[in-house]
Amino acid sequence: MQRLSAYAFAAFIGFAGIYAGASAAADPHLTPDTSAALERISADSLRGHLSFIASDLLEGRGTPSRGQDLAAEYIAAQFRRAGLEAVGDDGYFQTANWTFAETSPKDFSFRIDDGKEQLNIPASELSFSLAQALALAPSAIVNIDASDAAALNAHSPATLAGKVVVINLPDFEAMPPGQARTAYEGWQFFNAQLAKLRPALLLLVDRAHPKGNAGGKGRLIDPENSGETVSPIPRMTLHSVQAIRALDALRTGSSARVSVNVAAPVERAVKLRNVIGVLRGSDPELKNTYVIVTAHYDHLGIKDGVIHNGANDDGSGTVSVMEIAGALSGMKQRPARSIVFMTVFGEELGLFGSRYYGRHPILPIKQTVANVNLEQVGRTDSSEGPQLNNASMTGFDFSDVGTVFRKAGKLTGIDVYKNEANSDLYFGLSDNQALADQGVPAHTLCVAFQYPDYHAPGDHWQKVDYANMAKVNRMVALGVLMIANDPVAPKWNTANPLTRPYVEAWKRQSSQ
């Protein structure tokens, strides 16, 4: 196929006519070299990458897992192919040496006894993450309604000491985003209050995921914050429909007792890796400043006994990072600033990889001018209706970055807009938050905030709209180039009160 001219490319992507007869070539941001780079972004290439990243072979890319390691090697291979500079402690990898604690099913027992019947629940029908062994003698059950704000008022440490508190786990995934966030915040407060009452065990009843999770799922231990994933109260979650029905029947009587025996977890060292490559800038001074493009390459792994491939969340962002890196690396004239391409581990567990980078930046935070994080850019079948030729940015008016990408969208036929319901709400729910906390103007760009199969097994690569994703990628690539070539770095919007902590963090960085 012949290379398109700058004007032909602009017509192809829907720009012609936006400005009353002006051509793309008339805009200094869309030079022939830039247009050629954008042309290299291919729907077929994205499809090829994602059909591997979201394949069953990688088993959902859980953190940690062999599948995630395979994904990291594949991403590094694409960075190597693009000729990006390796800046990690191990080539393209930034390594976090953490610990994985996994409980052995040996000598496991969980028994409910009402004096007439005994119910023995196997580890495969429970999920738990315990910091130490648990040996619980037969203990009384206390049922508490977590949706009742006053439910804990009737209790004290004396009434719950040595007791097993049973609570129905809210189904956050079934709630609309705004309601889910409110419910989750209420749940967090409830848990904090309950922790003060010190029951012997918290038994959560999960009616939304009936197939169950393996009891040996384990937990990650960050040596810099070893307690961050452990509840102060031992807790276990019951998934089995049969066991839940039996428990419901037993709960009608006051004589039911729970006894538990779980061995101490066995710890093993694990290497978790962010994958980082740099397209070094051309300006003698600005090349030492950085624009970072990120996505998380982990997903849920095997959950409820089924592989969760996470094609859109966030395989789509991961392959977009690779594709944009490959396209921009072929430019004859490198951008003025350096562009960093990074995929991170452990987002689904709590932004682990991006927060690790924030604490241990490979490249100086003080010299990092912006971050755009790509999440869920492949599916267009949003719960808000079809999302074609558009993209939304979280915290849209928190900084100058939104304005830059809106202009890039006008030049590439993509409407970059503020989603009034979700833009601010979702700002802290993805990896941009880790860099924003360090003071860097950082935002997440997505196409669909919610879509069918979100965090479900059906999020497959065949359901992605690759033509639309390629157009969005072209817009992102152009927006990144605009920031990289502008000698004036993006700034936080100090008039917006929501940016106050980020502005203060940036001032601290600047003063160092």
Side-chain angles (χ1 to χ4, degrees):
M1 180 181 293
Q2 291 183 330
R3 175 176 293 181
L4 295 174
S5 67
Y7 183 83
F9 173 73
F12 172 69
I13 58 177
F15 168 72
I18 290 178
Y19 289 128
S23 73
D27 192 285
H29 295 295
L30 209 54
T31 65
D33 191 21
T34 298
S35 295
L38 302 189
E39 288 176 50
R40 287 191 285 272
I41 293 173
S42 157
D44 287 339
S45 179
L46 289 164
R47 183 183 292 107
H49 288 314
L50 192 53
S51 65
F52 177 75
I53 288 292
S55 66
D56 283 353
L57 176 67
L58 272 60
E59 298 181 336
R61 310 184 305 281
T63 303
S65 68
R66 176 179 176 273
Q68 186 176 68
D69 290 342
L70 287 171
E73 292 289 350
Y74 184 85
I75 296 163
Q78 299 308 312
F79 286 177
R80 192 174 296 115
R81 179 174 180 266
L84 300 184
E85 179 182 337
V87 295
D89 55 81
D90 179 17
Y92 291 104
F93 302 124
Q94 178 190 34
T95 307
N97 293 300
W98 286 13
T99 301
F100 188 68
E102 192 167 19
T103 303
S104 169
K106 183 180 179 181
D107 300 325
F108 174 91
S109 67
F110 189 107
R111 179 177 298 167
I112 303 176
D113 189 342
D114 70 346
K116 298 179 181 178
E117 297 181 55
Q118 288 186 351
L119 176 64
N120 290 296
I121 301 175
S124 61
E125 296 179 356
L126 293 150
S127 60
F128 50 89
S129 178
L130 305 177
Q132 56 193 11
L134 177 63
L136 184 65
S139 304
I141 292 175
V142 177
N143 302 301
I144 297 180
D145 182 1
S147 65
D148 182 357
L152 294 180
N153 293 342
H155 297 283
S156 68
T159 63
L160 293 185
K163 305 288 179 61
V164 175
V165 173
V166 178
I167 300 175
N168 284 314
L169 183 66
D171 185 6
F172 299 110
E173 293 179 12
M175 301 177 187
Q179 181 184 342
R181 181 165 183 169
T182 301
Y184 184 73
E185 290 173 350
W187 173 249
Q188 293 289 81
F189 178 78
F190 180 88
N191 275 280
Q193 297 303 107
L194 180 60
K196 298 176 182 178
L197 303 180
R198 308 301 299 177
L201 175 68
L202 176 59
L203 180 61
L204 303 176
V205 179
D206 185 1
R207 300 175 188 272
H209 303 95
K211 293 183 179 179
N213 294 317
K217 182 178 179 181
R219 67 184 178 91
L220 277 171
I221 301 173
D222 175 358
E224 297 174 340
N225 189 5
S226 59
E228 67 180 333
T229 60
V230 183
S231 166
I233 306 171
R235 64 177 60 197
M236 308 180 82
T237 304
L238 180 62
H239 302 276
S240 166
V241 171
Q242 181 179 2
I244 291 172
R245 288 173 179 168
L247 177 62
D248 288 342
L250 290 175
R251 284 166 59 190
T252 58
S254 60
S255 60
R257 298 288 187 271
V258 172
S259 58
V260 182
N261 187 73
V262 184
V266 177
E267 296 184 358
R268 60 182 172 88
V270 293
K271 287 186 177 182
L272 305 173
R273 300 183 295 181
N274 292 328
V275 192
I276 309 172
V278 177
L279 180 65
R280 187 62 63 179
S282 59
D283 184 87
E285 294 184 5
L286 292 179
K287 70 179 182 181
N288 295 317
T289 63
Y290 306 94
V291 184
I292 302 184
V293 184
T294 56
H296 71 89
Y297 71 100
D298 68 305
H299 194 55
L300 303 179
I302 299 175
K303 182 181 178 183
D304 300 344
V306 179
I307 296 173
H308 286 53
N309 287 313
N312 198 39
D313 180 20
D314 189 28
S316 64
T318 297
V319 301
S320 294
V321 170
M322 291 188 287
E323 187 74 4
I324 294 169
L328 298 188
S329 65
M331 295 184 69
K332 295 177 181 178
Q333 176 62 42
R334 292 282 182 95
R337 302 183 193 274
S338 296
I339 302 175
V340 182
F341 298 93
M342 177 167 61
T343 61
V344 298
F345 69 85
E347 188 268 0
E348 299 290 2
L349 301 180
L351 314 184
F352 281 2
S354 56
R355 292 199 185 280
Y356 184 83
Y357 182 86
R359 296 197 305 269
H360 305 281
I362 297 291
L363 301 159
I365 292 291
K366 187 176 179 179
Q367 292 162 226
T368 301
V369 302
N371 164 233
V372 57
N373 180 60
L374 305 179
E375 269 262 31
Q376 301 175 187
V377 294
R379 297 278 291 264
T380 55
D381 53 338
S382 167
S383 59
E384 299 178 274
Q387 303 296 311
L388 294 168
N389 303 320
N390 65 34
S392 183
M393 183 165 281
T394 64
F396 186 89
D397 48 10
F398 284 14
S399 81
D400 301 336
V401 173
T403 302
V404 175
F405 278 84
R406 174 171 280 172
K407 183 170 185 178
K410 288 181 178 179
L411 292 168
T412 54
I414 297 292
D415 177 23
V416 180
Y417 71 104
K418 176 177 181 177
N419 185 305
E420 294 297 335
N422 296 320
S423 176
D424 293 355
L425 178 67
Y426 275 80
F427 183 80
L429 300 182
S430 194
D431 290 301
N432 67 287
Q433 181 67 52
L435 283 169
D437 286 341
Q438 301 296 322
V440 177
H443 305 259
T444 289
L445 187 138
C446 73
V447 171
F449 286 96
Q450 290 285 333
Y451 58 95
D453 311 312
Y454 172 74
H455 277 197
D459 187 8
H460 295 309
W461 65 267
Q462 294 92 336
K463 298 180 180 180
V464 165
D465 184 335
Y466 292 97
N468 191 77
M469 183 160 68
K471 292 179 70 174
V472 170
N473 275 204
R474 294 178 189 122
M475 176 274 295
V476 172
L478 183 56
V480 169
L481 284 173
M482 287 178 172
I483 295 174
N485 284 318
D486 191 338
V488 179
K491 295 180 178 61
W492 291 106
N493 177 7
T494 56
N496 188 328
L498 295 177
T499 68
R500 185 174 303 161
Y502 314 126
V503 172
E504 291 175 354
W506 186 244
K507 288 179 179 178
R508 288 193 298 270
Q509 291 287 351
S510 300
S511 65
Q512 294 176 2

